[in-house]
PDB file of all heavy atoms in Angstrom:
ATOM      1  N   ILE A 202     -15.059 -48.178  76.831  1.00 98.00           N
ATOM      2  CA  ILE A 202     -13.705 -48.677  76.842  1.00 98.00           C
ATOM      3  C   ILE A 202     -13.450 -49.565  75.662  1.00 98.00           C
ATOM      4  O   ILE A 202     -14.185 -50.483  75.395  1.00 98.00           O
ATOM      5  CB  ILE A 202     -13.399 -49.482  78.162  1.00 98.00           C
ATOM      6  CG1 ILE A 202     -13.634 -48.618  79.386  1.00 98.00           C
ATOM      7  CG2 ILE A 202     -12.019 -50.042  78.160  1.00 98.00           C
ATOM      8  CD1 ILE A 202     -13.621 -49.385  80.696  1.00 98.00           C
ATOM      9  N   VAL A 203     -12.406 -49.218  74.894  1.00 98.00           N
ATOM     10  CA  VAL A 203     -11.991 -50.047  73.732  1.00 98.00           C
ATOM     11  C   VAL A 203     -10.609 -50.601  74.134  1.00 98.00           C
ATOM     12  O   VAL A 203      -9.577 -49.876  74.064  1.00 98.00           O
ATOM     13  CB  VAL A 203     -11.924 -49.254  72.488  1.00 98.00           C
ATOM     14  CG1 VAL A 203     -11.556 -50.227  71.260  1.00 98.00           C
ATOM     15  CG2 VAL A 203     -13.270 -48.583  72.173  1.00 98.00           C
ATOM     16  N   GLU A 204     -10.524 -51.867  74.476  1.00 97.00           N
ATOM     17  CA  GLU A 204      -9.302 -52.497  75.019  1.00 97.00           C
ATOM     18  C   GLU A 204      -9.353 -53.964  74.720  1.00 97.00           C
ATOM     19  O   GLU A 204     -10.399 -54.671  74.978  1.00 97.00           O
ATOM     20  CB  GLU A 204      -9.238 -52.258  76.512  1.00 97.00           C
ATOM     21  CG  GLU A 204      -8.198 -52.998  77.288  1.00 97.00           C
ATOM     22  CD  GLU A 204      -6.805 -52.644  76.773  1.00 97.00           C
ATOM     23  OE1 GLU A 204      -6.382 -51.481  76.893  1.00 97.00           O
ATOM     24  OE2 GLU A 204      -6.106 -53.598  76.400  1.00 97.00           O
ATOM     25  N   ASP A 205      -8.238 -54.484  74.149  1.00 94.00           N
ATOM     26  CA  ASP A 205      -8.263 -55.924  73.848  1.00 94.00           C
ATOM     27  C   ASP A 205      -7.677 -56.879  74.916  1.00 94.00           C
ATOM     28  O   ASP A 205      -7.731 -58.055  74.770  1.00 94.00           O
ATOM     29  CB  ASP A 205      -7.452 -56.129  72.511  1.00 94.00           C
ATOM     30  CG  ASP A 205      -5.989 -55.891  72.644  1.00 94.00           C
ATOM     31  OD1 ASP A 205      -5.573 -55.312  73.677  1.00 94.00           O
ATOM     32  OD2 ASP A 205      -5.232 -56.329  71.747  1.00 94.00           O
ATOM     33  N   GLU A 206      -7.244 -56.304  76.040  1.00 95.00           N
ATOM     34  CA  GLU A 206      -6.805 -57.079  77.157  1.00 95.00           C
ATOM     35  C   GLU A 206      -8.021 -57.138  78.155  1.00 95.00           C
ATOM     36  O   GLU A 206      -8.293 -56.247  78.811  1.00 95.00           O
ATOM     37  CB  GLU A 206      -5.555 -56.504  77.854  1.00 95.00           C
ATOM     38  CG  GLU A 206      -4.341 -56.472  76.965  1.00 95.00           C
ATOM     39  CD  GLU A 206      -3.153 -55.933  77.666  1.00 95.00           C
ATOM     40  OE1 GLU A 206      -2.947 -56.305  78.821  1.00 95.00           O
ATOM     41  OE2 GLU A 206      -2.410 -55.123  77.032  1.00 95.00           O
ATOM     42  N   GLU A 207      -8.601 -58.369  78.217  1.00 95.00           N
ATOM     43  CA  GLU A 207      -9.807 -58.515  79.015  1.00 95.00           C
ATOM     44  C   GLU A 207      -9.678 -58.145  80.406  1.00 95.00           C
ATOM     45  O   GLU A 207     -10.530 -57.454  81.012  1.00 95.00           O
ATOM     46  CB  GLU A 207     -10.301 -60.015  78.896  1.00 95.00           C
ATOM     47  CG  GLU A 207     -11.651 -60.241  79.515  1.00 95.00           C
ATOM     48  CD  GLU A 207     -12.138 -61.637  79.251  1.00 95.00           C
ATOM     49  OE1 GLU A 207     -11.577 -62.359  78.486  1.00 95.00           O
ATOM     50  OE2 GLU A 207     -13.123 -62.030  79.932  1.00 95.00           O
ATOM     51  N   ASP A 208      -8.553 -58.635  81.115  1.00 96.00           N
ATOM     52  CA  ASP A 208      -8.388 -58.338  82.543  1.00 96.00           C
ATOM     53  C   ASP A 208      -8.209 -56.837  82.780  1.00 96.00           C
ATOM     54  O   ASP A 208      -8.690 -56.277  83.776  1.00 96.00           O
ATOM     55  CB  ASP A 208      -7.239 -59.147  83.092  1.00 96.00           C
ATOM     56  CG  ASP A 208      -7.526 -60.657  83.141  1.00 96.00           C
ATOM     57  OD1 ASP A 208      -8.718 -60.993  83.127  1.00 96.00           O
ATOM     58  OD2 ASP A 208      -6.567 -61.455  83.220  1.00 96.00           O
ATOM     59  N   LEU A 209      -7.398 -56.251  81.898  1.00 96.00           N
ATOM     60  CA  LEU A 209      -7.060 -54.791  82.058  1.00 96.00           C
ATOM     61  C   LEU A 209      -8.424 -54.041  81.788  1.00 96.00           C
ATOM     62  O   LEU A 209      -8.637 -53.039  82.569  1.00 96.00           O
ATOM     63  CB  LEU A 209      -6.029 -54.408  81.015  1.00 96.00           C
ATOM     64  CG  LEU A 209      -5.689 -52.874  81.005  1.00 96.00           C
ATOM     65  CD1 LEU A 209      -5.250 -52.438  82.338  1.00 96.00           C
ATOM     66  CD2 LEU A 209      -4.626 -52.628  79.918  1.00 96.00           C
ATOM     67  N   ALA A 210      -9.210 -54.377  80.848  1.00 97.00           N
ATOM     68  CA  ALA A 210     -10.511 -53.668  80.574  1.00 97.00           C
ATOM     69  C   ALA A 210     -11.367 -53.717  81.813  1.00 97.00           C
ATOM     70  O   ALA A 210     -11.993 -52.757  82.220  1.00 97.00           O
ATOM     71  CB  ALA A 210     -11.147 -54.257  79.371  1.00 97.00           C
ATOM     72  N   ALA A 211     -11.393 -54.869  82.447  1.00 97.00           N
ATOM     73  CA  ALA A 211     -12.259 -55.068  83.614  1.00 97.00           C
ATOM     74  C   ALA A 211     -11.771 -54.191  84.773  1.00 97.00           C
ATOM     75  O   ALA A 211     -12.521 -53.594  85.478  1.00 97.00           O
ATOM     76  CB  ALA A 211     -12.339 -56.531  84.031  1.00 97.00           C
ATOM     77  N   ASN A 212     -10.443 -54.164  84.857  1.00 96.00           N
ATOM     78  CA  ASN A 212      -9.787 -53.307  85.975  1.00 96.00           C
ATOM     79  C   ASN A 212     -10.048 -51.874  85.768  1.00 96.00           C
ATOM     80  O   ASN A 212     -10.472 -51.124  86.642  1.00 96.00           O
ATOM     81  CB  ASN A 212      -8.363 -53.489  85.994  1.00 96.00           C
ATOM     82  CG  ASN A 212      -7.655 -52.949  87.151  1.00 96.00           C
ATOM     83  OD1 ASN A 212      -8.235 -52.762  88.260  1.00 96.00           O
ATOM     84  ND2 ASN A 212      -6.378 -52.553  86.971  1.00 96.00           N
ATOM     85  N   ILE A 213      -9.943 -51.375  84.456  1.00 97.00           N
ATOM     86  CA  ILE A 213     -10.278 -50.030  84.190  1.00 97.00           C
ATOM     87  C   ILE A 213     -11.696 -49.649  84.459  1.00 97.00           C
ATOM     88  O   ILE A 213     -11.998 -48.601  84.991  1.00 97.00           O
ATOM     89  CB  ILE A 213      -9.871 -49.744  82.657  1.00 97.00           C
ATOM     90  CG1 ILE A 213      -8.349 -49.807  82.457  1.00 97.00           C
ATOM     91  CG2 ILE A 213     -10.355 -48.373  82.262  1.00 97.00           C
ATOM     92  CD1 ILE A 213      -7.964 -49.731  81.050  1.00 97.00           C
ATOM     93  N   SER A 214     -12.551 -50.581  84.163  1.00 97.00           N
ATOM     94  CA  SER A 214     -14.022 -50.311  84.324  1.00 97.00           C
ATOM     95  C   SER A 214     -14.281 -50.166  85.861  1.00 97.00           C
ATOM     96  O   SER A 214     -15.075 -49.287  86.206  1.00 97.00           O
ATOM     97  CB  SER A 214     -14.747 -51.573  83.774  1.00 97.00           C
ATOM     98  OG  SER A 214     -16.170 -51.386  84.002  1.00 97.00           O
ATOM     99  N   GLU A 215     -13.658 -50.969  86.636  1.00 97.00           N
ATOM    100  CA  GLU A 215     -13.878 -50.898  88.132  1.00 97.00           C
ATOM    101  C   GLU A 215     -13.359 -49.541  88.638  1.00 97.00           C
ATOM    102  O   GLU A 215     -13.972 -48.858  89.505  1.00 97.00           O
ATOM    103  CB  GLU A 215     -13.146 -52.054  88.834  1.00 97.00           C
ATOM    104  CG  GLU A 215     -13.766 -53.397  88.635  1.00 97.00           C
ATOM    105  CD  GLU A 215     -13.001 -54.486  89.372  1.00 97.00           C
ATOM    106  OE1 GLU A 215     -12.056 -54.130  90.090  1.00 97.00           O
ATOM    107  OE2 GLU A 215     -13.383 -55.658  89.202  1.00 97.00           O
ATOM    108  N   ILE A 216     -12.199 -49.084  88.119  1.00 96.00           N
ATOM    109  CA  ILE A 216     -11.618 -47.847  88.543  1.00 96.00           C
ATOM    110  C   ILE A 216     -12.511 -46.638  88.143  1.00 96.00           C
ATOM    111  O   ILE A 216     -12.774 -45.760  88.944  1.00 96.00           O
ATOM    112  CB  ILE A 216     -10.173 -47.612  87.995  1.00 96.00           C
ATOM    113  CG1 ILE A 216      -9.220 -48.658  88.512  1.00 96.00           C
ATOM    114  CG2 ILE A 216      -9.692 -46.200  88.228  1.00 96.00           C
ATOM    115  CD1 ILE A 216      -7.906 -48.724  87.838  1.00 96.00           C
ATOM    116  N   LEU A 217     -13.015 -46.689  86.900  1.00 97.00           N
ATOM    117  CA  LEU A 217     -13.847 -45.583  86.428  1.00 97.00           C
ATOM    118  C   LEU A 217     -15.165 -45.563  87.173  1.00 97.00           C
ATOM    119  O   LEU A 217     -15.667 -44.462  87.536  1.00 97.00           O
ATOM    120  CB  LEU A 217     -14.142 -45.839  84.954  1.00 97.00           C
ATOM    121  CG  LEU A 217     -12.953 -45.614  84.003  1.00 97.00           C
ATOM    122  CD1 LEU A 217     -13.315 -45.945  82.559  1.00 97.00           C
ATOM    123  CD2 LEU A 217     -12.469 -44.168  84.054  1.00 97.00           C
ATOM    124  N   ILE A 227     -17.656 -52.309  76.911  1.00 97.00           N
ATOM    125  CA  ILE A 227     -16.226 -52.694  76.691  1.00 97.00           C
ATOM    126  C   ILE A 227     -16.117 -53.402  75.399  1.00 97.00           C
ATOM    127  O   ILE A 227     -16.872 -54.421  75.191  1.00 97.00           O
ATOM    128  CB  ILE A 227     -15.727 -53.549  77.862  1.00 97.00           C
ATOM    129  CG1 ILE A 227     -15.763 -52.829  79.191  1.00 97.00           C
ATOM    130  CG2 ILE A 227     -14.280 -54.057  77.585  1.00 97.00           C
ATOM    131  CD1 ILE A 227     -15.366 -53.646  80.339  1.00 97.00           C
ATOM    132  N   LEU A 247     -12.323 -44.279  75.827  1.00 97.00           N
ATOM    133  CA  LEU A 247     -10.926 -44.586  76.219  1.00 97.00           C
ATOM    134  C   LEU A 247     -10.416 -45.646  75.240  1.00 97.00           C
ATOM    135  O   LEU A 247     -10.912 -46.804  75.320  1.00 97.00           O
ATOM    136  CB  LEU A 247     -10.887 -45.104  77.690  1.00 97.00           C
ATOM    137  CG  LEU A 247      -9.498 -45.414  78.270  1.00 97.00           C
ATOM    138  CD1 LEU A 247      -8.711 -44.066  78.292  1.00 97.00           C
ATOM    139  CD2 LEU A 247      -9.679 -45.995  79.659  1.00 97.00           C
ATOM    140  N   ASP A 249      -7.677 -47.991  73.259  1.00 95.00           N
ATOM    141  CA  ASP A 249      -6.426 -48.688  73.137  1.00 95.00           C
ATOM    142  C   ASP A 249      -5.991 -48.581  71.640  1.00 95.00           C
ATOM    143  O   ASP A 249      -6.837 -48.694  70.736  1.00 95.00           O
ATOM    144  CB  ASP A 249      -6.542 -50.108  73.543  1.00 95.00           C
ATOM    145  CG  ASP A 249      -5.214 -50.848  73.477  1.00 95.00           C
ATOM    146  OD1 ASP A 249      -4.164 -50.211  73.432  1.00 95.00           O
ATOM    147  OD2 ASP A 249      -5.252 -52.110  73.459  1.00 95.00           O
ATOM    148  N   SER A 276      -4.945 -44.934  74.995  1.00 92.00           N
ATOM    149  CA  SER A 276      -4.083 -45.555  75.943  1.00 92.00           C
ATOM    150  C   SER A 276      -3.299 -46.572  75.161  1.00 92.00           C
ATOM    151  O   SER A 276      -3.735 -47.326  74.301  1.00 92.00           O
ATOM    152  CB  SER A 276      -4.972 -46.341  76.987  1.00 92.00           C
ATOM    153  OG  SER A 276      -5.709 -47.337  76.413  1.00 92.00           O
ATOM    154  N   THR A 277      -1.962 -46.641  75.437  1.00 85.00           N
ATOM    155  CA  THR A 277      -1.046 -47.480  74.632  1.00 85.00           C
ATOM    156  C   THR A 277       0.184 -47.850  75.422  1.00 85.00           C
ATOM    157  O   THR A 277       0.612 -47.124  76.336  1.00 85.00           O
ATOM    158  CB  THR A 277      -0.654 -46.742  73.326  1.00 85.00           C
ATOM    159  OG1 THR A 277       0.234 -47.632  72.640  1.00 85.00           O
ATOM    160  CG2 THR A 277       0.035 -45.473  73.636  1.00 85.00           C
ATOM    161  N   ALA A 278       0.702 -49.044  75.134  1.00 85.00           N
ATOM    162  CA  ALA A 278       1.952 -49.442  75.678  1.00 85.00           C
ATOM    163  C   ALA A 278       3.122 -49.037  74.785  1.00 85.00           C
ATOM    164  O   ALA A 278       4.316 -49.257  75.060  1.00 85.00           O
ATOM    165  CB  ALA A 278       2.015 -50.914  75.860  1.00 85.00           C
ATOM    166  N   LEU A 298       0.233 -43.579  78.715  1.00 88.00           N
ATOM    167  CA  LEU A 298       1.074 -44.739  78.439  1.00 88.00           C
ATOM    168  C   LEU A 298       0.877 -45.859  79.454  1.00 88.00           C
ATOM    169  O   LEU A 298       0.835 -45.574  80.704  1.00 88.00           O
ATOM    170  CB  LEU A 298       2.540 -44.360  78.341  1.00 88.00           C
ATOM    171  CG  LEU A 298       2.963 -43.454  77.224  1.00 88.00           C
ATOM    172  CD1 LEU A 298       4.452 -43.018  77.396  1.00 88.00           C
ATOM    173  CD2 LEU A 298       2.797 -44.175  75.897  1.00 88.00           C
ATOM    174  N   LYS A 299       0.710 -47.068  79.026  1.00 91.00           N
ATOM    175  CA  LYS A 299       0.613 -48.236  79.945  1.00 91.00           C
ATOM    176  C   LYS A 299       2.032 -48.608  80.407  1.00 91.00           C
ATOM    177  O   LYS A 299       2.954 -48.496  79.631  1.00 91.00           O
ATOM    178  CB  LYS A 299      -0.017 -49.410  79.148  1.00 91.00           C
ATOM    179  CG  LYS A 299      -1.406 -49.174  78.633  1.00 91.00           C
ATOM    180  CD  LYS A 299      -1.893 -50.450  77.850  1.00 91.00           C
ATOM    181  CE  LYS A 299      -3.249 -50.229  77.221  1.00 91.00           C
ATOM    182  NZ  LYS A 299      -3.645 -51.408  76.405  1.00 91.00           N
ATOM    183  N   PRO A 300       2.118 -49.101  81.632  1.00 90.00           N
ATOM    184  CA  PRO A 300       1.060 -49.204  82.615  1.00 90.00           C
ATOM    185  C   PRO A 300       0.840 -47.867  83.309  1.00 90.00           C
ATOM    186  O   PRO A 300       1.744 -47.115  83.473  1.00 90.00           O
ATOM    187  CB  PRO A 300       1.595 -50.234  83.638  1.00 90.00           C
ATOM    188  CG  PRO A 300       3.088 -50.061  83.528  1.00 90.00           C
ATOM    189  CD  PRO A 300       3.388 -49.727  82.099  1.00 90.00           C
ATOM    190  N   PHE A 301      -0.370 -47.556  83.559  1.00 91.00           N
ATOM    191  CA  PHE A 301      -0.701 -46.219  84.194  1.00 91.00           C
ATOM    192  C   PHE A 301      -1.346 -46.417  85.539  1.00 91.00           C
ATOM    193  O   PHE A 301      -1.929 -47.450  85.866  1.00 91.00           O
ATOM    194  CB  PHE A 301      -1.592 -45.395  83.235  1.00 91.00           C
ATOM    195  CG  PHE A 301      -2.840 -46.131  82.759  1.00 91.00           C
ATOM    196  CD1 PHE A 301      -3.944 -46.388  83.505  1.00 91.00           C
ATOM    197  CD2 PHE A 301      -2.807 -46.624  81.422  1.00 91.00           C
ATOM    198  CE1 PHE A 301      -4.975 -47.069  82.986  1.00 91.00           C
ATOM    199  CE2 PHE A 301      -3.863 -47.279  80.864  1.00 91.00           C
ATOM    200  CZ  PHE A 301      -4.995 -47.505  81.689  1.00 91.00           C
ATOM    201  N   LEU A 306      -5.036 -42.121  85.072  1.00 94.00           N
ATOM    202  CA  LEU A 306      -6.293 -42.414  84.371  1.00 94.00           C
ATOM    203  C   LEU A 306      -7.324 -41.369  84.760  1.00 94.00           C
ATOM    204  O   LEU A 306      -7.982 -40.819  83.817  1.00 94.00           O
ATOM    205  CB  LEU A 306      -6.796 -43.807  84.764  1.00 94.00           C
ATOM    206  CG  LEU A 306      -8.187 -44.212  84.148  1.00 94.00           C
ATOM    207  CD1 LEU A 306      -8.054 -44.207  82.650  1.00 94.00           C
ATOM    208  CD2 LEU A 306      -8.589 -45.595  84.666  1.00 94.00           C
TER     209      LEU A 306
END
Side-chain angles (χ1 to χ4, degrees):
I202 299 172
V203 183
E204 169 62 59
D205 69 345
E206 296 182 42
E207 186 176 348
D208 291 342
L209 177 58
N212 187 31
I213 292 173
S214 180
E215 291 180 5
I216 294 172
L217 291 174
I227 297 175
L247 185 63
D249 184 18
S276 65
T277 178
L298 292 174
K299 300 176 183 178
F301 46 78
L306 178 61

